[in-house]
Amino acid sequence: MTVVADSTASEGVHDLPARGRVYSIGPQATRPYGGPPTWQRKYFAGIIASDVTAGILGAALAFFARFGHVNDGTRVYALALIALPAVWIAALGLSRAFEKRYLFVGTEEYQRIVHAAVALTAAVAIVSYGLELPTSRVFVLIAIPTAAACSTVARFGWRKWLHRMRRGGRCMKRVVLVGHESSVAALIVQLRREHYHGLNVVAACLPTDEPRGALLDFDTRIRGSFDRIAEAVAAERADTVIVLGCPEIDGQALRRLAWKLERSEVDLIVASALVDVAGDRTTVRPVDGLPMLHLDHARLTGVRRLAKEAVDRIGAAMLLLALSPLLLTAAFLIRCTSAGPALFKQERIGKDGQPFTIWKFRTMHLDAERRLAEIAHLNEGDGVLFKMKDDPRITKVGKYLRRFSIDEFPQLVNVLRGDMSLVGPRPPLAIEVAAYESDMRRRLAVKPGMTGLWQVSGRSDLPWEEAVRLDLRYVEHWNLSLDFVILLRTVTAILRPQGAY
């Protein structure tokens, strides 16, 4: 695998005498060294403006829904059009919703918005009760949730803009990787695949002065050994250092590196060996001055399970009601254009390995199973499932149903019955489960879902191993905020139907 070098990759080469071969990885990001890049300032300005607008919309909607017009008794609530945006920004700031560590990727940013809304509602209730203020509860219960919803949607839009920029190689952070050669090569592959993280590797520091194994397949700049990390950062104008797990860099060496980097405000990231473990399941507890990382089990039980099931059942019922005209139209077109029933049922494996019957709109001719042997040699998938972009067994209507994932909508009935969830791992066939390795069976720890991380990350275009990895990540990381983000991304994935076949 080769990374294309940029014409500016040689900038700063003479600032540091390289020991051994010098490799480059591009493209380069430009920014004034020592200050935030232009794209970051634009992003922060955008989300602040969006949050102010969200506060204004929340106050306006609540005022006109509750009062409708301005008079002597409602004039104080009209002032909320000015007050609520400022108070909302303050609440978001106190909830740390503007910190860089929570922006750009992940669900923590949206959780901070929810925390701000809950805290602000509680604060208004306590102040109103304590001072005996005649506060309108309807106004508060409309204004704050509306502001939170608008902020969430706006920030999601800004994030999609940023990810689109990063697909084109812009708005990236310049990264120096530190670690052993195989680990560095593996992380480069992953960061190039998951470009939305915005981490562009510009150089690496290895235990040795030059690559001897995995990195020989990369065009990567090597800036010396571990004792030259700070010099490599200065020469490459990097703003991030990622240290991979290696015995040469112990706690004392890491502390000294942090001291050197803090002068130039370079981010230091330590890649833990506990990959794909949710942050809210890890807790640092000091034991006799030594920090211990405690890892909780990923169990969906108690209130968490009840909350997810409530969201699933209510969401499925509302979607079935809203989509009923579309569902009836799809069933009518299937019956009119090809022989056979409109619905197709199949046995799938659910939570804890229990089989259940899944419902879908029929998208293939009735003799599809018989014709499979004729085209088995044309399989384009790399897993145990047959995948073919132009499968001749698919009907004309079926192509459109698959393209926009309409064939999956009858599974809302499965969600209502409790066999499936709105969000979760893809429901596997029995033949797939029989071929699972031990790690893959972890997917069966939760209910399968109509949509999930693999569906919003490429669907059938993803390699088998990547689809499994995403499903396992969901099982380890589950929370309601993640479900909400996946549902939002599902809408954009349906409208942009790459990998749907």
Side-chain angles (χ1 to χ4, degrees):
M1 180 176 181
T2 303
V3 182
V4 179
D6 186 77
S7 59
T8 62
S10 60
E11 180 182 349
V13 170
H14 299 294
D15 299 333
L16 175 67
R19 296 187 295 178
R21 297 176 63 187
V22 176
Y23 300 81
S24 63
I25 184 169
Q28 301 287 323
T30 58
R31 74 179 181 103
Y33 187 60
T38 302
W39 69 264
Q40 197 171 103
R41 292 195 296 269
K42 179 179 180 180
Y43 191 91
F44 273 94
I47 63 174
I48 291 174
S50 300
D51 292 334
V52 170
T53 304
I56 295 174
L57 289 175
L61 179 62
F63 181 84
F64 289 108
R66 175 62 180 87
F67 305 108
H69 60 280
V70 180
N71 55 36
D72 292 339
T74 62
R75 187 170 290 111
V76 65
Y77 289 98
L79 294 177
L81 291 172
I82 300 174
L84 185 59
V87 173
W88 180 235
I89 290 293
L92 290 172
L94 291 174
S95 296
R96 303 164 68 185
F98 297 107
E99 292 191 13
K100 289 192 299 181
R101 71 179 74 182
Y102 303 131
L103 302 179
F104 315 134
V105 293
T107 62
E108 186 69 25
E109 177 181 5
Y110 307 114
Q111 293 178 21
R112 296 287 165 180
I113 295 175
V114 174
H115 293 166
V118 172
L120 182 57
T121 303
V124 171
I126 293 172
V127 171
S128 299
Y129 178 79
L131 301 180
E132 297 183 355
L133 299 176
T135 305
S136 171
R137 288 171 292 182
V138 174
F139 181 89
V140 173
L141 294 178
I142 293 177
I144 297 178
T146 300
C150 291
S151 285
T152 300
V153 173
R155 285 178 179 238
F156 178 78
W158 276 104
R159 183 176 291 192
K160 296 300 293 184
W161 168 83
L162 179 61
H163 292 177
R164 186 168 61 251
M165 293 297 102
R166 286 175 170 177
R167 279 198 297 270
R170 291 175 286 177
C171 303
M172 306 290 282
K173 293 185 177 181
R174 297 170 61 83
V175 179
V176 172
L177 292 183
V178 179
H180 285 251
E181 192 169 347
S182 58
S183 300
V184 169
L187 186 56
I188 290 176
V189 172
Q190 185 169 351
L191 292 180
R192 283 181 55 81
R193 181 172 59 235
E194 300 178 356
H195 50 76
Y196 55 86
H197 286 290
L199 300 175
N200 176 39
V201 181
V202 295
C205 291
L206 307 176
T208 57
D209 290 341
E210 61 181 41
R212 297 174 181 175
L215 279 179
L216 291 175
D217 296 331
F218 293 82
D219 189 17
T220 306
R221 187 193 307 280
I222 306 302
R223 280 294 190 177
S225 56
F226 292 161
D227 59 345
R228 302 175 67 82
I229 298 173
E231 296 173 346
V233 169
E236 294 290 348
R237 294 175 176 252
D239 48 28
T240 304
V241 173
I242 299 180
V243 179
L244 304 174
C246 51
E248 292 87 347
I249 301 183
D250 55 13
Q252 186 176 9
L254 194 61
R255 189 185 308 115
R256 290 172 178 170
L257 176 61
W259 293 340
K260 293 179 181 178
L261 297 179
E262 69 180 358
R263 303 191 197 106
S264 53
E265 298 184 357
V266 175
D267 293 334
L268 177 59
I269 300 175
V270 179
S272 171
L274 296 174
V275 295
D276 284 341
V277 173
D280 58 357
R281 290 174 45 219
T282 57
T283 306
V284 177
R285 302 174 187 169
V287 178
D288 194 22
L290 181 65
M292 294 287 186
L293 190 64
H294 290 247
L295 177 63
D296 297 329
H297 295 294
R299 293 196 181 110
L300 185 56
T301 57
V303 176
R304 288 160 53 89
R305 180 182 64 81
L306 292 176
K308 183 172 176 62
E309 290 198 358
V311 171
D312 286 338
R313 302 290 177 90
I314 296 173
M318 294 176 62
L319 286 172
L320 275 174
L321 184 63
L323 297 174
S324 55
L326 177 61
L327 299 178
L328 292 174
T329 302
F332 176 77
L333 292 175
I334 293 171
R335 292 298 304 271
C336 291
T337 56
S338 62
L343 291 176
F344 169 77
K345 63 180 182 178
Q346 189 179 50
E347 184 179 276
R348 297 291 180 100
I349 304 301
K351 185 176 183 293
D352 298 326
Q354 297 298 317
F356 71 98
T357 300
I358 196 173
W359 296 90
K360 302 176 67 175
F361 280 127
R362 181 175 57 84
T363 59
M364 290 187 173
H365 296 287
L366 289 179
D367 60 349
E369 292 295 329
R370 180 182 58 81
R371 295 171 59 186
L372 178 59
E374 303 173 5
I375 59 175
H377 63 286
L378 301 176
N379 185 17
E380 298 174 7
D382 59 354
V384 297
L385 294 180
F386 179 86
K387 293 289 183 180
M388 184 177 178
K389 288 185 178 180
D390 297 316
D391 195 327
R393 303 172 299 161
I394 299 177
T395 64
K396 292 182 179 179
V397 173
K399 289 183 179 179
Y400 290 97
L401 295 180
R402 289 193 173 202
R403 182 180 180 187
F404 296 102
S405 299
I406 299 175
D407 61 317
E408 310 283 351
F409 288 174
Q411 293 169 29
L412 289 168
V413 177
N414 290 111
V415 177
L416 273 178
R417 293 175 55 184
D419 298 325
M420 295 179 61
S421 175
L422 289 177
V423 182
R426 187 184 59 81
L429 294 166
I431 189 174
E432 293 180 75
V433 176
Y436 277 178
E437 298 176 359
S438 58
D439 288 350
M440 294 183 186
R441 292 188 172 273
R442 181 66 173 169
R443 301 169 76 189
L444 305 179
V446 299
K447 290 181 182 179
M450 290 185 61
T451 185
L453 280 176
W454 80 273
Q455 289 96 327
V456 299
S457 303
R459 293 191 269 190
S460 294
D461 284 342
L462 287 178
W464 169 256
E465 292 80 5
E466 180 66 7
V468 171
R469 187 181 69 85
L470 290 173
D471 280 345
L472 292 178
R473 177 189 291 182
Y474 175 82
V475 174
E476 299 298 323
H477 286 222
W478 179 86
N479 57 59
L480 282 177
S481 299
L482 178 60
D483 278 5
F484 178 71
V485 172
I486 291 175
L487 288 172
L488 284 178
R489 291 180 61 187
T490 299
V491 176
T492 59
I494 290 175
L495 298 177
R496 191 187 65 254
Q498 283 84 4
Y501 54 87

